[in-house]
Amino acid sequence: MKFFRVAMAANLLAVCTGQTASAATGNVLFNGTITATCTVTINSNGTMTVSSNLQSLSSHNAGGSAGSAQVDTTGGVTLSVDPVTITTVPASDTTATTWTPTFATSGAQTIAETGTATALTVPGTSTVAVNLAGTKSGTDRFSAGNYQATVTLRCE
């Protein structure tokens, strides 16, 4: 019986030796997920100058300049500026100042100057110009001294 099995196996092997193996294929799937994201890189700070009537301290005034940032995004995010909460003013300036931050973008997406949260729908890199204006009302005027305000650019 043992000899019979060995003979059958040898016979089967001899029959199969002349045949090629059949080919087989399989698909390997790859999945990936990218969540909506963005990064903000500050390129430069802005400069505010005072108007001739001493009621406006702004990056839009002559000699002033916008701050600059770079935003890289996948799209599907919102760009905004927070209300100004951090300011430094001279002790002699005791009247109220209304601070108004705005921004505009160019590059992957163009947004005209606004202070309103705006959707960034296009992936890519945009340059953001951030402006700030401080205003006095009525007969109030800016006093001599150093002023500083912080604008938070938010991308989420």
Side-chain angles (χ1 to χ4, degrees), residues 17-148:
T17 302
Q19 296 179 359
T20 59
S22 62
T25 62
N27 296 328
V28 178
L29 298 177
F30 291 84
N31 294 306
T33 302
I34 299 174
T35 58
T37 186
C38 62
T39 59
V40 176
T41 305
I42 304 301
N43 296 327
S44 64
N45 293 316
T47 302
M48 297 181 293
T49 56
V50 70
S51 63
S52 58
N53 68 359
L54 305 176
Q55 286 194 298
S56 168
L57 183 63
S58 175
S59 56
H60 283 298
N61 290 338
S65 63
S68 175
Q70 177 178 310
V71 172
D72 294 291
T73 182
T74 59
V77 297
T78 300
L79 187 65
S80 63
V81 285
D82 289 353
V84 174
T85 57
I86 301 171
T87 59
T88 303
V89 302
S92 59
D93 188 339
T94 59
T95 60
T97 302
T98 301
W99 297 101
T100 306
T102 58
F103 68 93
T105 68
S106 61
Q109 188 161 331
T110 301
I111 300 171
E113 189 168 8
T114 183
T116 303
T118 304
L120 295 179
T121 57
V122 179
T125 300
S126 295
T127 300
V128 183
V130 180
N131 284 286
L132 180 61
T135 56
K136 299 281 188 182
S137 61
T139 59
D140 295 339
R141 302 289 186 265
F142 282 96
S143 299
N146 294 321
Y147 289 79
Q148 187 176 60

Side-chain angles (χ1 to χ4, degrees), residues 5-20:
R5 285 187 195 154
V6 170
M8 283 297 284
N11 190 23
L12 184 59
L13 184 61
V15 171
C16 291
T17 302
Q19 296 179 359
T20 59

